[in-house]
Amino acid sequence: MSGYRMKRAARLALAPSVALLIVGMIVPLATTLWLSFRYYNLMNPALGGFAGLSNYEFFLTDPAFAQAIVNTILLVGGVLAITVAGGILLGLLFDQPMWGRGMARLLVIAPFFVMPTVSALVWKNMLMHPGYGIFAWVAMKLGLSPVEWLSNHPLLSIILIVAWQWLPFATLIFLTALQSLDHEQQEAARMDGAGPLDRLVYIILPHLGRAITVVILMETIFILAIFAEIFVTTSGGPGYASTNLPYLIYVQALMQFDVGAASAGAIIAVVLANIVAIFAIRLAGRNLTA
Amino acid sequence: MRSLRPTLFKAAMTFLGWAVALLLFFPILWTVLTSFKSEVEAIAFPPAFWPSGWTLENYFEVQERSEYFGHFLNSVALSLGSTVIGMLIAIPAAWSMAFQPAASTRHVLMWMLSTKMMPAVGALVPVFLIFKSAGLLDTLPGITLIVLVGNLPIMVWMLYTYFKEIPADILEACRMDGATVWKELVHVLLPMSLPGVASTMLLNIILAWNEAFWTLSLTAVKAAPLSAFIASYSSPQGLFWAKLSAASTLAIVPILIIGWISQKQLVRGLTFGAVK
């Protein structure tokens, strides 16, 4: 086969993927952008036409928006703090010799495979229920009064649920990174009198630097988009206390039928995600040449 | 004495490791145990750890009340359908970029990655409107298509990194022998990268099975897979924890097993090859 025909075959092989992503992702995104400048309400079809920036103004000045932004950031920050710190500790722990280590690791990573709606409902009912939940029972055993998790601390509750789901991901990545650590170097440091803390600070943590970056970037992208956990537990409430940006946009579009405002919100969400994505893509790109 | 210290250390680590592992696994264990209890026992306080009379009643009742098995089949169809069709589209693309790279290949890969980074909510409104007018709302083909598009970048990327590990000379050699592109792909490339192809498929089955944004917003009664169906348990009537647990156990066990099998490749897939 000639080089030219080979090249043509290669282009042809790539075309369906590119076409599908353009139709499925780029066209909707462009449409969202267009809709964000239009008056468009499914409940009020008479209203139409160019809206200028008024949808953005409506969305940005809505008090719910400010709260949704704060909640989105708290959700990402809270989950990252728990999973990065916890993931490093668990990674170090399960890198130590122990009996049944493989089995214990399987138990640790299991929460990651539980679908979001199931984990949220199980936590909401069987763990966090102030009357019959396990947490209430533990609180009682400790002589404390049970906490009304979802009504009094809705955002914290969701942070805990999401952190439980993502801790295995962080642990798995840190474990993988730790296994590539040079054990001879560690041994040499030990011989030179470096204590466990020295080895952690000067050898292990620097080695994990790249893995930490990866965990932060990937988790941020997924946690910026958290939706199902809120949908089945608090429905964003009480008030807007646990509404994040995706949930606010969903409510705007599919429950209040304001397509224009929802689209403006979606564009804002995309811009926010892109700020993170730029760094993530650069990081992945560095591996391409390797 | 000298040989005792490592053993003591190992014993301490074993104790600590298993304590942490059981604590993190507890919500899942609790769900499975509760699924075998009666509804009264499920909300007993203080909680009853072991079911007193192991019963399968909840499983039967979940099926009777809500056609559970139908939703289960929807999940199977969605995850297998989007994965198989996705692979048919992704394999040629990954082959093309791994073995016939052009000047634009790097940019195409980056662009594909960037579509995955875009929050799904950015496409929600148009996709919902298009689905509504095309009659694709609450249909299996509709939800399969959108989940497939969402996961395609991961499939192409993962396959690309696996294909890159295969020496191009081998494909070159069999082309010299007169093999067509098709034969080269089916008889040489795929068998050589079988572990990679298999783990890409497993990861995508997991992602599609657990997908909850699109399934919650685009499916309702007919095409709802388990991830969306389970959400109907968020507005309970009466005693329901045991039934919720039975429905949840059946929804998570198959994918948990697949997840355990593919845990190593998972890291690679979810980090786009940045951590191996």
Side-chain angles (χ1 to χ4, degrees):
Chain A
M1 194 185 266
S2 74
Y4 170 73
R5 283 187 52 194
M6 201 64 204
K7 277 213 171 71
R8 233 176 64 132
R11 296 304 145 262
L12 261 168
L14 185 57
S17 290
V18 172
L20 203 59
L21 283 174
I22 289 177
V23 173
M25 289 281 188
I26 305 306
V27 172
L29 184 61
T31 314
T32 304
L33 188 62
W34 183 74
L35 287 172
S36 72
F37 296 111
R38 309 279 304 176
Y39 288 115
Y40 190 172
N41 192 311
L42 292 174
M43 294 304 275
N44 189 358
L47 199 70
F50 184 66
L53 289 171
S54 72
N55 282 325
Y56 287 90
E57 200 191 324
F58 174 81
F59 203 88
L60 289 170
T61 55
D62 184 353
F65 171 74
Q67 187 157 14
I69 287 284
V70 172
N71 288 344
T72 308
I73 291 169
L74 286 176
L75 183 57
V76 172
V79 174
L80 279 180
I82 297 173
T83 55
V84 171
I88 291 176
L89 287 176
L90 289 186
L92 287 169
L93 173 60
F94 289 101
D95 199 37
Q96 307 302 318
M98 66 174 72
W99 286 290
R101 186 166 67 174
M103 190 64 207
R105 277 185 195 168
L106 288 185
L107 296 184
V108 170
I109 64 167
F112 191 64
F113 304 117
V114 178
M115 54 177 66
T117 38
V118 165
S119 44
L121 280 176
V122 164
W123 274 72
K124 173 191 178 183
N125 291 297
M126 288 148 62
L127 300 182
M128 289 174 160
H129 193 286
Y132 307 107
I134 294 286
F135 290 178
W137 177 71
V138 172
M140 200 189 73
K141 281 276 158 196
L142 297 174
L144 307 165
S145 55
V147 179
E148 300 247 1
W149 284 98
L150 285 154
S151 16
N152 291 347
H153 310 283
L155 193 63
L156 177 64
S157 303
I158 289 167
I159 289 175
L160 290 177
I161 297 172
V162 176
W164 178 71
Q165 291 178 290
W166 283 91
L167 184 59
F169 172 78
T171 306
L172 205 52
I173 288 186
F174 292 136
L175 254 179
T176 311
L178 282 170
Q179 278 156 2
S180 66
L181 196 63
D182 186 353
H183 282 276
E184 266 172 43
Q185 188 193 8
Q186 285 241 69
E187 196 56 30
R190 210 172 59 87
M191 295 295 217
D192 288 346
L197 198 67
D198 289 322
R199 273 177 284 153
L200 180 70
V201 174
Y202 296 109
I203 301 179
I204 298 174
L205 284 184
H207 178 78
L208 285 183
R210 182 187 166 79
I212 292 172
T213 318
V214 169
V215 168
I216 290 177
L217 290 174
M218 295 310 295
E219 281 194 14
T220 304
I221 285 159
F222 281 99
I223 295 161
L224 275 176
I226 287 292
F227 172 79
E229 290 83 347
I230 297 172
F231 182 90
V232 297
T233 52
T234 62
S235 302
Y240 291 103
S242 58
T243 296
N244 70 348
L245 205 48
Y247 194 78
L248 184 66
I249 296 162
Y250 172 85
V251 169
Q252 200 76 252
L254 300 192
M255 288 160 94
Q256 297 176 6
F257 304 108
D258 191 340
V259 170
S263 300
I267 293 302
I268 295 166
V270 170
V271 169
L272 280 181
N274 269 304
I275 297 172
V276 183
I278 287 169
F279 292 101
I281 291 170
R282 277 213 195 127
L283 189 81
R286 241 179 280 156
N287 299 299
L288 277 184
T289 40
Chain B
M1 248 339 244
R2 214 181 299 155
S3 62
L4 197 62
R5 255 195 86 198
T7 316
L8 271 177
F9 180 74
K10 194 171 174 181
M13 287 300 127
T14 305
F15 177 75
L16 193 62
W18 275 90
V20 169
L22 287 172
L23 197 67
L24 286 172
F25 189 70
F26 179 78
I28 298 173
L29 178 66
W30 191 240
T31 307
V32 176
L33 286 175
T34 305
S35 75
F36 295 110
K37 295 175 186 168
S38 67
E39 288 293 2
V40 177
E41 200 176 12
I43 57 159
F45 197 84
F49 189 75
W50 285 108
S52 61
W54 296 74
T55 173
L56 285 173
E57 199 179 325
N58 302 306
Y59 289 89
F60 291 116
E61 214 165 310
V62 160
Q63 163 61 17
E64 261 169 45
R65 278 194 181 183
S66 53
E67 269 308 311
Y68 185 89
F69 196 62
H71 296 294
F72 189 90
L73 287 183
N74 283 345
S75 277
V76 173
L78 169 62
S79 35
L80 288 185
S82 67
T83 302
V84 170
I85 301 170
M87 291 299 278
L88 291 178
I89 298 167
I91 288 174
W95 164 81
S96 160
M97 290 193 284
F99 297 109
Q100 302 292 324
S104 62
T105 295
R106 201 189 148 82
H107 296 289
V108 174
L109 277 167
M110 290 310 192
W111 170 72
M112 285 188 172
L113 183 58
S114 73
T115 65
K116 186 64 206 166
M117 306 278 169
M118 188 182 88
V121 80
L124 172 67
V125 173
V127 168
F128 184 82
L129 295 175
I130 292 166
F131 268 45
K132 195 164 173 252
S133 59
L136 283 171
L137 279 180
D138 202 17
T139 65
L140 266 181
I143 190 67
T144 305
L145 178 70
I146 202 76
V147 169
L148 155 63
V149 173
N151 289 337
L152 190 63
I154 294 187
M155 286 192 239
V156 174
W157 258 82
M158 244 178 121
L159 287 169
Y160 172 83
T161 61
Y162 282 114
F163 287 174
K164 265 297 200 195
E165 286 169 5
I166 293 170
D169 310 356
I170 294 177
L171 295 189
E172 203 72 51
C174 77
R175 204 173 306 141
M176 290 302 168
D177 290 344
T180 60
V181 175
W182 177 248
K183 277 196 179 142
E184 171 188 325
L185 245 154
V186 175
H187 294 297
V188 183
L189 181 59
L190 289 185
M192 285 190 74
S193 54
L194 204 58
V197 171
S199 49
T200 307
M201 291 187 76
L202 290 179
L203 174 64
N204 274 278
I205 290 172
I206 296 171
L207 290 176
W209 186 277
N210 288 345
E211 162 62 42
F213 177 74
W214 291 115
T215 57
L216 282 171
S217 42
L218 300 179
T219 68
V221 189
K222 278 189 294 133
L226 291 172
S227 61
F229 164 73
I230 299 275
S232 66
Y233 279 83
S234 60
S235 46
Q237 287 108 26
L239 298 170
F240 78 111
W241 285 11
K243 280 186 270 301
L244 166 67
S245 299
S248 299
T249 301
L250 285 179
I252 60 180
V253 164
I255 224 61
L256 193 52
I257 292 167
I258 294 181
W260 278 340
I261 296 170
S262 58
Q263 53 161 325
K264 284 219 177 68
Q265 290 73 27
L266 209 84
V267 173
R268 186 170 169 160
L270 284 173
T271 60
F272 290 96
V275 174
K276 282 180 198 165

